[in-house]
């Protein structure tokens, strides 16, 4: 490690180029750690670390002197064996698709780096000891860490084929719309949709709802829609029932104490979208936050609500 960085309070930024220079630079930085090192790598990162004996030795030495090491990465079938090796020296959590590559030492120094090939050190890193930048990197890491999945759960998911349960609160209207579209298009057996208002139906219909439903119905997906109806929607319902056997649209009373659009895919996933202002024309403006889940309890609860209303829907028309 260059002496102009060691044991000084000067703010420095350095660019180190070349895999071997980068590795040597990092090895010289590890002895300065006094409490912790946090790292975030993409899916190639675990292979880089675990196959370099020098880095593994240095990591073990840090652990033996009480340094806490945490690693965020994308744990996949391809790199899981590397991740298991790293469990010896670090606490690991999983975030699918993570792209960031950076590290922080004691919330005072940080490194941002590029990884070019699996099992090779990055070609270039940017080192800095500006405390404000280091704190910003640490804040990002801590935020990601809180939402990440422990490696033990991810291992069970990969090796045993079990799906981890999640319940996410989504506030970004673009993300809500994306999840809705993914749910509809990925349904293979049954899709249930409940609209709290007539306007709720029309907002999605203007985005091509019925066209999407007809497409997946051709794959054999059974579709049930519950919604309050006006004259035009009743006509659409009758026309659809006559043309597309797999799509059923039934009417329910407008006031059922439900103020959310509910979508259930294959009895495995549920999306509940809060209605914020029914007078708004656009989907993104009318709705608030959404709850997206694959939890058994959540999906079962909303499926039960739908089926109970469906059982009485023919009486309401």
């Amino acid at each position: 490690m260059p002496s102009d960085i060691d044991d000084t309070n000067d703010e420095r930024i350095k660019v180190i180029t070349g895999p071997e220079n980068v590795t040597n630079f990092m090895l010289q930085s590890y002895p300065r750690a006094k409490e912790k090192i946090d790292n975030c790598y993409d899916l190639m990162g675990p292979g880089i670390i675990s196959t370099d004996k020098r880095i593994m030795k240095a990591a073990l030495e840090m652990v033996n002197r009480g340094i806490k090491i945490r690693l965020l990465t994308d744990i996949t079938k391809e790199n899981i064996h590397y991740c298991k090796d790293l469990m010896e020296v670090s606490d690991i959590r999983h975030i699918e698709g993570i792209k960031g590559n950076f590290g922080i030492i004691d919330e005072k120094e940080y490194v941002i780096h590029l990884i070019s090939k699996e099992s090779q050190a990055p070609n270039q890193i940017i080192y800095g000891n500006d405390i404000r930048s280091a704190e910003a990197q640490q804040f990002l890491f801590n935020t990601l860490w809180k939402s990440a999945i422990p490696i033990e759960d991810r291992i069970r998911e990969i090796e045993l084929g079990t799906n981890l349960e999640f319940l996410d609160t989504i506030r970004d209207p673009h993300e809500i719309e994306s999840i809705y579209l993914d749910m509809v298009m990925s349904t293979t057996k049954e899709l249930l949709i409940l609209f709290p208002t007539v306007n709720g139906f029309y907002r999605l219909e203007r985005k091509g709802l019925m066209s999407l439903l007809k497409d997946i119905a051709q794959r054999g997906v059974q579709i049930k829609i519950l919604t309050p109806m006006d004259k035009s929607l009743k006509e659409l319902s009758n026309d659809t029932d006559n043309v597309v056997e797999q799509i059923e649209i039934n009417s329910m009373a407008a006031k059922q104490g439900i103020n959310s659009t509910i979508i259930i895919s294959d009895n495995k996933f549920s999306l509940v979208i809060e209605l914020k202002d029914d007078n708004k024309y656009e989907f993104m403006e009318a709705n608030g936050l959404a709850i997206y889940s694959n939890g058994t309890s959540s999906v079962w609860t909303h499926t039960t609500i739908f089926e109970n209303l469906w059982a009485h829907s023919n009486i309401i028309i």
Side-chain angles (χ1 to χ4, degrees):
M1 184 74 182
S3 60
D4 63 343
I5 294 179
D6 287 349
D7 302 321
T8 74
N9 292 322
D10 293 342
E11 293 182 359
R12 306 279 182 170
I13 294 179
K14 289 181 66 70
V15 178
I16 297 90
T17 302
E20 189 63 22
N21 292 334
V22 167
T23 299
N24 289 332
F25 186 90
M26 296 309 302
L27 289 171
Q28 293 176 49
S29 71
Y30 294 151
R32 293 199 306 279
K34 293 180 172 59
E35 296 181 3
K36 65 178 182 177
I37 291 182
D38 292 328
N39 291 300
C40 179
Y41 291 106
D42 61 23
L43 58 84
M44 293 183 289
I48 295 170
I49 304 170
S50 66
T51 57
D52 192 317
K53 294 182 180 179
R54 296 170 298 172
I55 294 178
M56 289 296 287
K57 179 182 177 182
L60 185 58
E61 289 173 351
M62 284 190 287
V63 171
N64 288 337
R65 63 187 178 89
I67 305 301
K68 183 176 181 180
I69 302 175
R70 296 188 295 178
L71 171 62
L72 273 171
T73 190
D74 184 358
I75 304 173
T76 66
K77 292 180 181 179
E78 290 72 26
N79 70 13
I80 191 171
H81 58 291
Y82 296 135
C83 295
K84 288 181 178 180
D85 292 340
L86 292 172
M87 291 175 71
E88 181 182 356
V89 296
S90 63
D91 188 4
I92 306 174
R93 292 188 182 182
H94 162 78
I95 293 185
E96 184 173 354
I98 190 73
K99 299 299 183 183
N101 294 289
F102 62 92
I104 314 107
I105 300 176
D106 290 334
E107 302 187 16
K108 297 178 181 178
E109 304 174 54
Y110 66 93
V111 172
I112 301 172
H113 43 103
L114 300 176
I115 298 173
S116 58
K117 294 181 181 179
E118 186 174 2
S119 299
Q120 291 186 9
N123 287 325
Q124 186 178 76
I125 64 171
I126 300 173
Y127 165 88
N129 64 358
D130 168 31
I131 191 66
R132 291 172 295 278
S133 298
E135 288 175 346
Q137 293 293 320
Q138 188 66 58
F139 177 82
L140 173 60
F141 181 92
N142 291 344
T143 301
L144 294 171
W145 185 262
K146 290 177 183 178
S147 62
I149 299 169
I151 186 173
E152 295 83 3
D153 292 339
R154 179 58 174 164
I155 289 174
R156 285 196 298 272
E157 184 178 27
I158 292 174
E159 296 184 345
L160 301 179
T162 59
N163 291 322
L164 298 177
E165 290 193 356
F166 63 82
L167 192 151
D168 295 336
T169 300
I170 315 296
R171 291 180 169 82
D172 182 352
H174 296 280
E175 185 177 0
I176 294 171
E177 184 174 358
S178 176
I179 291 172
Y180 144 71
L181 289 172
D182 287 343
M183 284 182 66
V184 171
M185 296 308 297
S186 62
T187 301
T188 60
K189 296 180 181 179
E190 182 183 58
L191 182 69
L192 310 178
I193 305 178
L194 184 153
F195 294 102
T197 67
V198 175
N199 290 339
F201 177 91
Y202 286 132
R203 276 188 288 268
L204 280 185
E205 171 56 11
R206 285 192 291 270
K207 288 181 169 292
L209 173 66
M210 294 306 297
S211 178
L212 288 176
L213 297 185
K214 289 175 182 177
D215 286 343
I216 66 171
Q218 291 180 355
R219 304 199 308 258
V221 175
Q222 299 295 317
I223 301 161
K224 294 181 179 180
I225 299 174
L226 266 176
T227 179
M229 291 193 182
D230 59 12
K231 182 179 179 181
S232 296
L233 190 44
K234 285 184 179 181
E235 292 176 356
L236 174 64
S237 173
N238 292 331
D239 292 342
T240 303
D241 288 345
N242 292 332
V243 176
V244 186
E245 183 179 350
Q246 287 87 357
I247 301 178
E248 297 180 74
I249 306 176
N250 280 0
S251 175
M252 70 175 191
K255 296 182 179 180
Q256 292 284 338
I258 296 174
N259 197 41
S260 301
T261 296
I262 299 174
I263 304 170
I264 304 159
S265 171
D266 288 333
N267 202 31
K268 294 179 180 179
F269 299 92
S270 65
L271 179 66
V272 181
I273 307 171
E274 174 192 45
L275 178 60
K276 184 171 62 177
D277 186 347
D278 195 41
N279 293 317
K280 296 294 185 181
Y281 185 81
E282 295 295 337
F283 173 83
M284 292 185 182
E285 296 177 352
N287 297 304
L289 59 80
I291 304 296
Y292 178 46
S293 178
N294 70 341
T296 302
S297 176
S298 180
V299 175
W300 178 86
T301 297
H302 293 109
T303 301
T304 300
I305 292 172
F306 184 96
E307 295 293 357
N308 285 338
L309 291 172
W310 185 266
H312 296 90
S313 60
N314 288 330
I315 301 174
I316 298 170
I317 295 177

